[in-house]
Amino acid sequence: MPKISEQQWQERRQQILEAAWRCFFRNGVQATTIDDIIGESGMSASAMYRYFNGKDDIIRTAIASSLTGLGAALGPLLTGAEPQPPAGWMGEMLKGIERFCARRDFNLMPLGIHGWSEAQRDEEVRNVLRGYYLQFRAQIVARVEAWQRAGLASAEVPAIDVAETLMSTLLGYIVQATIMRDLGPESHARGLAGLMTASGADPR
Amino acid sequence: MPKISEQQWQERRQQILEAAWRCFFRNGVQATTIDDIIGESGMSASAMYRYFNGKDDIIRTAIASSLTGLGAALGPLLTGAEPQPPAGWMGEMLKGIERFCARRDFNLMPLGIHGWSEAQRDEEVRNVLRGYYLQFRAQIVARVEAWQRAGLASAEVPAIDVAETLMSTLLGYIVQATIMRDLGPESHARGLAGLMTASGADPR
Amino acid sequence: MPKISEQQWQERRQQILEAAWRCFFRNGVQATTIDDIIGESGMSASAMYRYFNGKDDIIRTAIASSLTGLGAALGPLLTGAEPQPPAGWMGEMLKGIERFCARRDFNLMPLGIHGWSEAQRDEEVRNVLRGYYLQFRAQIVARVEAWQRAGLASAEVPAIDVAETLMSTLLGYIVQATIMRDLGPESHARGLAGLMTASGADPR
Amino acid sequence: MPKISEQQWQERRQQILEAAWRCFFRNGVQATTIDDIIGESGMSASAMYRYFNGKDDIIRTAIASSLTGLGAALGPLLTGAEPQPPAGWMGEMLKGIERFCARRDFNLMPLGIHGWSEAQRDEEVRNVLRGYYLQFRAQIVARVEAWQRAGLASAEVPAIDVAETLMSTLLGYIVQATIMRDLGPESHARGLAGLMTASGADPR
DNA sequence: GATGAATGAGTCTTCATTCAT
DNA sequence: AATGAATGAAGACTCATTCAT
């Protein structure tokens, strides 16, 4: 066979990554064997090793790749110019996450959870996640500052604190969505509104 | 009739569970071998099998046991009568979680993450977590209703929605605390206050 | 099973080492698989791993162990007080080596060759061999000095040079014995005598 | 009809053999993979299979080829007419071997050792080595007979015995040179002289 | 004719669990 | 009752060789 084209090479990698996602979705990251992925991808063991250096390489790439995709999917909501207020923004963000994670035969949310778990024991994975999340959070900070200028968030509180809080709410949604499986994006939009429109002030 | 007393039996189990916690903290759940736990606990392999049915049994018990402890630790804050407002409550809850999770030679937060991951592939673990979290959330609902009566949360919004949102914020805090490791309980207390004291309304 | 006794443990190790020797004798060191050794030893794979850390551990121990045995077998000839002259000594040394290497169902000479080969790519093996051989050579130096005092070797030449030369002759014998397989200890005894009893001097 | 000329074909083979030598020198024979050689030679996998039948073919040819070269390099010393006495001859032989084995980026001595090792498990390799060495030894016999006529070796001892002994010394030198790495050709020239010029006789 | 991607048998090693003592 | 040695199935990964392009 002649040398494979760059495009074919990328397609092969993607094929393997998707197989890995399906396996991780079903069994978790650690419990997935390389043979599971090989079987799911329809390739031979050694063919796969031409495209990835090993299990860890697949895990890291699968996690990083899903985060890249998520970042691209949520970009407009994070950097867009329209001054949507917090509660609505929260609903849109979660809808965007749900939409991005739902795939034909698997869902990326559990993979996200597995990624957090993996990050606890693989410093490299943690650094990848950390990098993406910090970037993500920085974008939320910008959004919060816009809200502060518009009077939709208190200017007395550092924007970073608000951003961290909203980030937690987004991340925690994923936990409840995968463990309880009884809530949707609207719930948090309403919930956040319910906190923000309290009649009595809450000066902590 | 058992040779050892019920109390001794429980102590043995606790001894093994703490060994498991330390191992899980260091290596994650799946990467921890039963031999790791045996070595850490100072018992013999077969002795351990008298107290637990196997690895899965240990995992499930370790996770359930930590949740029981956490529930007991946070109980007063959840069911107590004092009408602490949302932002302050958030700070106290997170402080309580941090305090409960910090142990001499390990931290239970990563174990929580591993538990979520485990729940994705072990329905039994998921049910255990789900049960605890639902109970937990129900207690938050009661708290939100108290806030609604006190005008600290909008009565127009179902209390369950607000409770779900706050629950997400609590859970997401754990993610950021274990991945970014750059935030503390106060941050979320301030952040929540920043959202609640916005001058402009946010009618979703 | 209760804890195995030190003696039983050593016997197990010896059992594995002898299996390894047989395999190495037949197939060489690198071409021998750990499964070959396991099969030959009659143990299970995992049982074997209780006694050795892996293939390299077996290789190194097999080589070191055979050298220790050889050193013990040749000790008397090297350190004994009787002033046997060079040619006779050469014959006795080679007979001792032959006797030590001949086992019931294998021969250690090829293992020696494999050890030299292994030493070229495993620095640790090389250091082990080097240590034994230096010690060995030092003993020959002492012997040569005795000969020099008795007039059986020229005192004009450093004893170390003579020792190195004799050491080469001993080592080279092993090469010819395993490649050509057409010579015996007596041959070298005679050959050395033939060189030493030349009528004409040889002042290089 | 072949597309490439006989000369080109030989050049290609030589190119591969030199790549193999470098790999064998670095990693030993068995530990060298065919991919190592392919990478080192700069050819493609299948191109290489046009010039050699497989790994064993390369090994055998690499060993045989180095021996052919060595024979050519030492020929003058072995068959030349000059009546150099034993000790000097020994020094010259070893110098010739050292000179032949030292290459720009590798040394053939370790390959020689690997060849001996390989011969223990590949009868065909053994036969190749054996053939070369027997021829080599026959030439030494002729040399010894010349010494006997010149009184430089005892005529009472069969020339073959002396030749075997000298051959061992030459071969053993290679062992010490690659394992201890602390000796040079002169050492053996002196050592042999030290044995031959003893004042006392050594009638075995 | 030449390429290099693909193969599948094989390599070393580890694991949860059991059972002889 | 308790030990810890033993197991066999499975784990990740590699290799010499082939063959579709």
Side-chain angles (χ1 to χ4, degrees):
Chain A
M1 300 173 184
K3 193 162 170 60
I4 216 169
S5 75
E6 172 67 19
Q7 192 202 341
Q8 278 177 308
W9 194 73
Q10 287 298 348
E11 276 168 11
R12 287 286 210 184
R13 274 176 72 93
Q14 195 58 32
Q15 178 185 352
I16 295 166
L17 282 185
E18 301 224 355
W21 280 343
R22 282 193 291 272
C23 292
F24 292 160
F25 169 65
R26 281 200 299 267
N27 276 20
V29 169
Q30 287 293 330
T32 292
T33 72
I34 207 84
D35 280 353
D36 290 341
I37 299 174
I38 287 162
E40 184 75 30
S41 73
M43 312 182 69
S44 72
S46 25
M48 212 220 53
Y49 275 91
R50 288 188 71 79
Y51 297 96
F52 289 96
N53 287 331
K55 199 186 178 186
D56 280 1
D57 191 16
I58 296 183
I59 292 174
R60 287 169 189 159
T61 309
I63 290 172
S65 165
S66 67
L67 282 170
T68 305
L70 182 61
L74 298 183
L77 283 166
L78 281 163
T79 57
E82 84 285 9
Q84 192 176 21
W89 175 86
M90 172 67 66
E92 289 305 315
M93 286 293 289
L94 293 176
K95 268 183 224 160
I97 291 170
E98 288 273 15
R99 210 178 306 122
F100 174 78
C101 290
R103 302 299 169 102
R104 180 182 303 276
D105 45 5
F106 62 95
N107 190 295
L108 283 173
M109 272 196 204
L111 177 58
I113 306 262
H114 293 311
W116 301 339
S117 171
E118 200 60 19
Q120 307 306 317
R121 38 172 254 92
D122 182 336
E123 196 67 7
E124 196 169 323
V125 169
R126 190 174 86 83
N127 282 329
V128 169
L129 286 183
R130 196 169 157 273
Y132 275 100
Y133 285 167
L134 287 177
Q135 186 183 342
F136 200 72
R137 212 168 65 183
Q139 294 178 310
I140 303 182
V141 168
R143 175 87 347 167
V144 170
E145 286 166 347
W147 288 331
Q148 289 178 326
R149 286 191 295 274
L152 292 168
S154 165
E156 316 256 304
V157 168
I160 179 66
D161 290 336
V162 179
E164 281 175 6
T165 307
L166 292 170
M167 179 98 178
S168 278
T169 312
L170 291 169
L171 293 169
Y173 174 86
I174 293 171
V175 180
Q176 289 195 74
T178 55
I179 304 271
M180 273 91 124
R181 303 189 186 160
D182 64 352
L183 79 174
E186 293 301 334
S187 155
H188 278 41
R190 284 194 301 272
L192 188 54
L195 288 166
M196 295 183 69
T197 58
S199 53
D202 179 31
R204 211 173 92 61
Chain B
M1 63 184 72
K3 264 274 175 62
I4 57 175
S5 72
E6 173 66 17
Q7 192 202 341
Q8 278 179 311
W9 194 76
Q10 285 298 348
E11 278 170 6
R12 288 285 213 175
R13 275 177 69 92
Q14 193 59 32
Q15 178 185 351
I16 294 166
L17 283 183
E18 301 223 356
W21 281 343
R22 283 192 291 271
C23 292
F24 292 160
F25 169 66
R26 280 199 299 265
N27 278 46
V29 170
Q30 287 293 331
T32 292
T33 71
I34 208 89
D35 277 355
D36 290 341
I37 300 174
I38 288 165
E40 183 77 31
S41 72
M43 310 184 71
S44 73
S46 33
M48 219 218 48
Y49 273 88
R50 291 187 64 78
Y51 297 97
F52 290 95
N53 289 329
K55 198 186 178 186
D56 280 359
D57 191 17
I58 295 183
I59 293 173
R60 287 167 191 161
T61 311
I63 291 171
S65 165
S66 68
L67 282 170
T68 306
L70 181 61
L74 298 182
L77 283 165
L78 282 163
T79 58
E82 82 284 9
Q84 194 177 19
W89 174 86
M90 172 67 66
E92 289 306 315
M93 286 292 289
L94 293 176
K95 269 183 221 159
I97 290 171
E98 288 273 15
R99 209 179 305 122
F100 173 77
C101 289
R103 301 300 169 99
R104 179 182 303 276
D105 45 5
F106 62 97
N107 190 297
L108 282 174
M109 272 196 204
L111 177 58
I113 305 263
H114 293 311
W116 301 340
S117 171
E118 203 59 20
Q120 307 304 319
R121 42 174 248 91
D122 183 335
E123 197 65 9
E124 197 168 322
V125 170
R126 189 174 86 83
N127 282 329
V128 168
L129 285 183
R130 195 169 159 274
Y132 275 100
Y133 284 167
L134 286 177
Q135 185 184 342
F136 199 72
R137 212 167 63 183
Q139 294 177 309
I140 302 181
V141 168
R143 174 87 350 167
V144 170
E145 287 167 345
W147 287 332
Q148 288 178 326
R149 285 191 295 275
L152 293 168
S154 164
E156 315 258 305
V157 168
I160 179 67
D161 289 337
V162 178
E164 282 175 6
T165 306
L166 291 170
M167 179 96 177
S168 278
T169 311
L170 292 169
L171 294 170
Y173 173 87
I174 294 171
V175 179
Q176 290 196 71
T178 55
I179 304 275
M180 272 92 127
R181 302 186 187 163
D182 64 353
L183 78 175
E186 294 301 334
S187 155
H188 278 41
R190 284 193 303 272
L192 188 54
L195 287 167
M196 295 183 71
T197 57
S199 53
D202 178 32
R204 212 172 84 63
Chain C
M1 299 174 184
K3 193 164 173 56
I4 214 169
S5 74
E6 172 67 19
Q7 191 204 343
Q8 279 177 307
W9 195 74
Q10 287 298 351
E11 277 168 9
R12 287 287 209 185
R13 274 177 70 94
Q14 195 59 33
Q15 176 186 352
I16 295 166
L17 281 185
E18 301 223 354
W21 281 341
R22 282 192 291 272
C23 293
F24 293 160
F25 168 65
R26 280 201 299 267
N27 277 18
V29 169
Q30 288 292 329
T32 292
T33 73
I34 207 85
D35 281 353
D36 290 341
I37 299 174
I38 288 162
E40 182 75 31
S41 73
M43 313 182 69
S44 72
S46 25
M48 212 220 54
Y49 273 89
R50 289 187 69 80
Y51 297 96
F52 289 95
N53 288 331
K55 200 186 177 184
D56 279 1
D57 191 15
I58 296 183
I59 292 174
R60 288 169 189 159
T61 310
I63 291 172
S65 166
S66 66
L67 282 170
T68 305
L70 181 61
L74 298 183
L77 282 167
L78 282 162
T79 58
E82 82 286 8
Q84 193 175 22
W89 174 86
M90 171 67 65
E92 288 306 313
M93 286 293 289
L94 292 176
K95 268 183 222 160
I97 291 171
E98 288 274 15
R99 208 179 307 122
F100 174 77
C101 291
R103 302 299 169 101
R104 179 182 304 276
D105 43 7
F106 61 95
N107 189 296
L108 283 174
M109 272 195 204
L111 177 58
I113 305 263
H114 294 311
W116 301 338
S117 170
E118 200 60 19
Q120 307 304 318
R121 38 173 255 93
D122 183 334
E123 196 66 7
E124 197 168 323
V125 169
R126 188 174 87 84
N127 282 329
V128 168
L129 286 184
R130 195 167 158 276
Y132 275 99
Y133 285 166
L134 286 177
Q135 187 183 342
F136 200 71
R137 211 167 64 183
Q139 294 178 310
I140 302 182
V141 168
R143 176 87 347 170
V144 170
E145 287 165 348
W147 288 330
Q148 289 178 326
R149 286 190 297 274
L152 293 168
S154 163
E156 314 258 303
V157 168
I160 178 68
D161 290 336
V162 178
E164 281 175 7
T165 306
L166 291 170
M167 178 100 178
S168 278
T169 311
L170 290 169
L171 294 169
Y173 174 86
I174 294 172
V175 180
Q176 290 196 73
T178 55
I179 305 270
M180 271 91 127
R181 304 190 186 159
D182 64 353
L183 78 175
E186 293 302 334
S187 153
H188 279 40
R190 282 193 302 271
L192 188 54
L195 287 166
M196 296 183 70
T197 56
S199 53
D202 180 32
R204 211 172 91 59
Chain D
M1 65 184 72
K3 264 271 176 65
I4 56 176
S5 71
E6 172 67 17
Q7 192 202 341
Q8 277 179 313
W9 194 73
Q10 285 299 348
E11 277 170 7
R12 289 284 212 178
R13 275 175 70 93
Q14 193 58 30
Q15 180 184 350
I16 295 166
L17 283 184
E18 300 222 358
W21 281 344
R22 282 192 291 271
C23 293
F24 292 159
F25 170 64
R26 281 200 298 266
N27 278 40
V29 170
Q30 287 293 330
T32 292
T33 71
I34 208 91
D35 278 354
D36 291 340
I37 299 174
I38 287 165
E40 183 77 30
S41 72
M43 312 184 70
S44 74
S46 31
M48 220 218 49
Y49 273 88
R50 290 188 65 76
Y51 297 97
F52 290 96
N53 288 329
K55 197 186 179 187
D56 280 0
D57 190 17
I58 296 182
I59 293 174
R60 287 167 191 161
T61 311
I63 291 172
S65 165
S66 68
L67 282 171
T68 306
L70 182 60
L74 298 183
L77 284 166
L78 281 163
T79 56
E82 81 286 10
Q84 194 176 20
W89 174 87
M90 171 69 63
E92 289 305 314
M93 286 294 288
L94 293 177
K95 268 183 222 160
I97 291 172
E98 289 273 16
R99 208 178 307 123
F100 174 77
C101 290
R103 301 300 168 100
R104 180 182 302 276
D105 43 7
F106 62 96
N107 191 296
L108 283 174
M109 272 197 203
L111 177 58
I113 305 263
H114 293 311
W116 302 339
S117 171
E118 203 59 19
Q120 308 305 317
R121 41 174 249 91
D122 183 334
E123 196 65 10
E124 197 169 322
V125 169
R126 189 174 85 84
N127 282 328
V128 168
L129 286 184
R130 196 168 156 275
Y132 276 99
Y133 285 167
L134 286 178
Q135 185 185 344
F136 199 72
R137 212 168 64 184
Q139 295 177 310
I140 303 182
V141 168
R143 174 85 353 164
V144 170
E145 286 166 348
W147 288 332
Q148 288 179 325
R149 284 191 296 274
L152 293 168
S154 164
E156 315 258 304
V157 168
I160 178 68
D161 290 336
V162 178
E164 281 175 6
T165 307
L166 291 171
M167 179 100 178
S168 278
T169 312
L170 291 169
L171 294 169
Y173 174 86
I174 294 172
V175 179
Q176 289 196 74
T178 55
I179 304 274
M180 271 91 129
R181 302 185 187 164
D182 65 353
L183 79 173
E186 294 302 334
S187 155
H188 279 39
R190 284 193 301 272
L192 188 55
L195 286 167
M196 295 182 69
T197 56
S199 55
D202 178 33
R204 212 172 86 62

